[in-house]
Amino acid sequence: MEAEQLIARVQELTGRLEDLDDPACRDLTEELTAAVVQMYGAGLERIVELIEDDETRDRLAADELVAGLLMIHDLYPVPLEERVMQALDTVRPYMESHGGNVELLGIEDGVAKLRLEGSCKSCRASSSTLELAVRQALQEAAPDLLGMDVEGVMEEEQVSGVALPMGNGTPSWHTLDIEPPELLTSTAVSGLSLIVANVDGTLLAYRSACAGCGGDLARAALEGGALACAQCGRRYFLPQAGRSMDDDHLQLEPIPLLREAEAIKVAL
């Protein structure tokens, strides 16, 4: 049984346990489950103590199922704050391309306190879109994080002291069936044509449509971060949210993108 199936099975059985009518039976089952979890936790702790080389520990931490168990028992080898910082580093190029940034103020009681910085008044990425990228990165790198407490100003919205739970309520993320491009590649997901550009090692995704003529950007030329439409010749500077270099009123439509190891994901 795959890791996701096992997790789903555990969640299903937990829900059925809570629905038991007999309180004594429910309490006994919960006590037995807790004892079994503690027993396996003690075994995992002993295993981690016996592993002396960092390479083996890193391989265990990289396995999805094992990593989940290590986090449950507070045995994950990389501290929570370090994983949060690594997650923020993965989205910082995307944030900066939209005139913003994110800063970790600290972690308290399992909640990451973040500050969003900058302004997106002149680009199509809203504060909620940028926040989405941060949320997804944290979910992947730190699933044991209990939530985000965000402050700061992005665009014209004020978000201050609002506790945002991790998990549900976010748009869907799709894994692209492509390799990281050397310069530019085109793809499609859910019927939407996209381009993915590599600008000095940073991957950026945009809808594959020129903001001027509407032409497909699959054959566009990319040089030094500047993308030139093959049909009308208009140029867009991708590191600055795809703003036009010829007309201040034109801009490409950015798509949130995250890299996870070899996987490339976009949010729609």
Side-chain angles (χ1 to χ4, degrees), residues 133-151:
V134 174
R135 184 188 300 273
Q136 175 67 12
L138 291 179
Q139 287 174 351
E140 296 294 337
D144 47 336
L145 194 67
L146 299 182
M148 319 179 345
D149 191 348
V150 183
E151 65 178 45

Side-chain angles (χ1 to χ4, degrees), residues 5-116:
Q5 294 176 312
L6 286 171
I7 294 173
R9 180 61 173 163
V10 170
Q11 293 174 340
E12 176 193 355
L13 293 174
T14 301
R16 291 172 59 182
L17 172 62
E18 294 173 351
D19 293 335
L20 290 177
D21 295 329
D22 189 338
C25 180
R26 184 171 60 249
D27 292 343
L28 180 60
T29 306
E30 290 178 347
E31 185 176 349
L32 172 61
T33 302
V36 171
V37 170
Q38 290 175 1
M39 179 181 66
Y40 279 101
L44 279 173
E45 185 175 6
R46 184 68 59 84
I47 290 173
V48 172
E49 290 175 350
L50 293 175
I51 296 175
E52 297 182 353
D53 61 295
D54 293 336
E55 181 180 355
T56 301
R57 291 186 179 184
D58 291 342
R59 290 177 60 190
L60 289 175
D63 183 276
E64 180 181 1
L65 182 57
V66 176
L69 293 175
L70 292 176
M71 288 181 183
I72 289 175
H73 297 285
D74 198 25
L75 296 172
Y76 197 80
V78 182
L80 177 60
E81 183 169 350
E82 183 176 341
R83 285 184 280 124
V84 170
M85 290 295 294
Q86 292 173 351
L88 297 182
D89 286 341
T90 65
V91 298
R92 191 160 279 114
Y94 175 75
M95 302 284 289
E96 290 175 347
S97 74
H98 295 283
N101 205 342
V102 58
E103 178 187 0
L104 176 65
L105 302 179
I107 299 177
E108 185 176 338
D109 297 328
V111 176
K113 297 183 178 297
L114 307 174
R115 176 185 292 129
L116 295 179

